[in-house]
Amino acid sequence: MRRVMKFGGALMSDAEGIIKVGQLVKEYSSDPLVIVVSAIGKITNSLEKLHTNSGNRDKSEKLFLDIKDYHLNLLDNLFPEGNDELIRAIDVRFNSLLESTNETYENRYEAYDSIVSIGEELSSCIIYHYLLSMGISARLINAKSLITTNSNYTDADVDWNYTQKTIETRINPMLETLDVVVTQGFIGSDISGKPTTLGREGSDFTAAIFGNILNADEVTIWKNVPGLMNSDPARFDDSEKIENISYHEAIELAYYGASVIHPKTIQPLKQKNIPLLVRPYYDSSLKPTIINNNTSNDSNTASIIVKDDQVLMSIGTQNLSFIAEDNLKQIFSAFSRNRIHINMMQNSAVSFSVSFNKDNDKLKALIDDLSMFNLKYNTGLQLLTIRHYTDELINKYVTNKKVYLLQKSRVTVQILLSK
Ligand code: ASP
Ligand code: MG
């Protein structure tokens, strides 16, 4: 049984989490195993802040030290007797982080990837050393040397040909002799060797890439929830675990923003018919959610997906002429240039309405870019998506709220609401 397992940052936010991950790895280490890890805790967010503030010396120094303290504190708890080799390895990574924050880049996206990718290098280094301390024969391989991408920083596309050759030739032989290969999710590098990232929460996708290329029998995502849930348990008391859904249904859920799985994860698995297991890391005896090619359970459960902080923008022509294909072309290229993903859209004769996630810098740039149009916008809205909806469900969530846009297909309803 060949397995790829992904461990997210939430599972590894403290020493106890790392210890638990170590136990799980040990449990499965008699078979060929690749583990893919994210940055610990919410370190990716902290690194994003460090990147945003890299022009401000005092602020960035403080942010850097906070990130360092968080890691060193975890190491103290994980290795109360100390681990000099690990401390040295961590120091090397913090030195590169410092260098990355001081370097000059062609653009802010390139800087982002150089800085933010170090979170995964730190976490993988910790896990690797912890596995060694448990007597597991492990090898740490930097995903930057395995995953080749284009230079579309912050959301890079994988070059499958290069990546396949590298992973096959380097990882296959290791799986014959070692207990575990440890690598990072989310990160890669472009042809010139510059760090890239695959988009926030991209570690799931990395696990799927390895699963596909290594012909794994299964890919597992360990979670701090019972499995794939039909809604966010942090938001809804009645959220339920889904036992089984198809690849197709999982792609739809991820597309609409279910935070459980990165949208790009499913395709590489579907291609080789590799089941994706979503399992609770705190109890490996519980049944996982299984995502495979079985479509018969897809409509058993309605799923509810909420996206906060939406902007609704209405775009009209200045002379009240119709919004037609040539205007739409201009509008879409402005969104694409500013890397703004449209969550929902609707048009009337003289205006085109879109909703998207709020990002102040991007919003400003978009407004500049669309200056030839009349723009009106609202912020602070909520986008609710219900798959396999019923009228009762719609009523339940819409009562007492103002509806700004509503769109229904046979299976899905999307509603843009006041909060
Ligand atoms: N650490 C990255 C993030 O938080 C990637 C991941 O967790 O999958 O976005
Ligand atoms: Mg993460």
Side-chain angles (χ1 to χ4, degrees), residues 103-351:
E103 211 169 296
T104 38
Y105 296 92
E106 271 175 38
N107 59 59
R108 71 187 184 103
Y109 302 112
E110 187 188 322
Y112 175 101
D113 282 358
S114 291
I115 293 170
V116 170
S117 61
I118 293 176
E120 267 67 14
E121 295 192 341
L122 287 161
S123 63
S124 55
C125 182
I126 296 172
I127 286 283
Y128 164 68
H129 281 271
Y130 183 67
L131 295 177
L132 291 184
S133 78
M134 293 173 72
I136 293 174
S137 77
R139 182 97 187 255
L140 173 62
I141 308 288
N142 196 324
K144 288 177 178 169
S145 71
L146 299 174
I147 308 267
T148 304
T149 69
N150 64 7
S151 305
N152 188 17
Y153 301 109
T154 75
D155 193 18
D157 294 313
V158 173
D159 181 323
W160 279 88
N161 282 336
Y162 263 101
T163 303
Q164 173 155 7
K165 271 187 221 125
T166 322
I167 291 183
E168 270 173 2
T169 47
R170 292 193 57 200
I171 306 299
N172 269 328
M174 288 180 197
L175 290 177
E176 307 282 312
T177 56
L178 289 163
D179 291 337
V180 188
V181 173
V182 182
T183 191
Q184 305 87 6
F186 177 57
I187 69 176
S189 68
D190 66 9
I191 298 285
S192 60
K194 288 182 182 159
T196 55
T197 61
L198 309 178
R200 284 303 307 266
E201 308 301 327
S203 300
D204 299 344
F205 179 39
T206 305
I209 297 170
F210 278 91
N212 174 297
I213 295 174
L214 296 170
N215 293 311
D217 296 288
E218 60 187 36
V219 170
T220 305
I221 298 178
W222 295 96
K223 287 260 165 201
N224 55 0
V225 288
L228 189 67
M229 308 299 285
N230 77 326
S231 62
D232 179 358
R235 207 186 269 270
F236 298 103
D237 300 337
D238 56 355
S239 101
E240 291 169 41
K241 178 179 154 194
I242 299 172
E243 304 291 337
N244 168 231
I245 51 168
S246 69
Y247 296 119
H248 176 94
E249 183 64 18
I251 287 178
E252 294 280 357
L253 291 177
Y255 170 81
Y256 287 114
S259 57
V260 261
I261 303 167
H262 188 276
K264 291 182 185 164
T265 311
I266 304 295
Q267 187 52 36
L269 301 177
K270 181 175 188 294
Q271 193 201 6
K272 291 210 169 157
N273 204 5
I274 301 167
L276 176 64
L277 276 50
V278 184
R279 316 182 57 174
Y281 86 118
Y282 48 81
D283 188 351
S284 59
S285 69
L286 294 178
K287 257 172 68 183
T289 295
I290 300 176
I291 300 167
N292 55 16
N293 59 13
N294 175 22
T295 54
S296 63
N297 297 316
D298 285 355
S299 52
N300 289 359
T301 325
S303 290
I304 295 138
I305 301 156
V306 180
K307 280 190 180 186
D308 284 325
D309 226 0
Q310 296 297 298
V311 180
L312 170 64
M313 184 179 270
S314 296
I315 306 163
T317 53
Q318 292 195 336
N319 57 4
L320 275 190
S321 61
F322 290 153
I323 290 276
E325 286 70 13
D326 48 345
N327 307 121
L328 288 173
K329 201 166 129 190
Q330 271 179 308
I331 295 170
F332 281 126
S333 41
F335 276 87
S336 149
R337 243 192 329 276
N338 293 294
R339 303 183 187 205
I340 300 177
H341 173 72
I342 296 174
N343 295 327
M344 187 181 183
M345 56 188 148
Q346 214 165 66
N347 67 322
S348 71
V350 292
S351 95

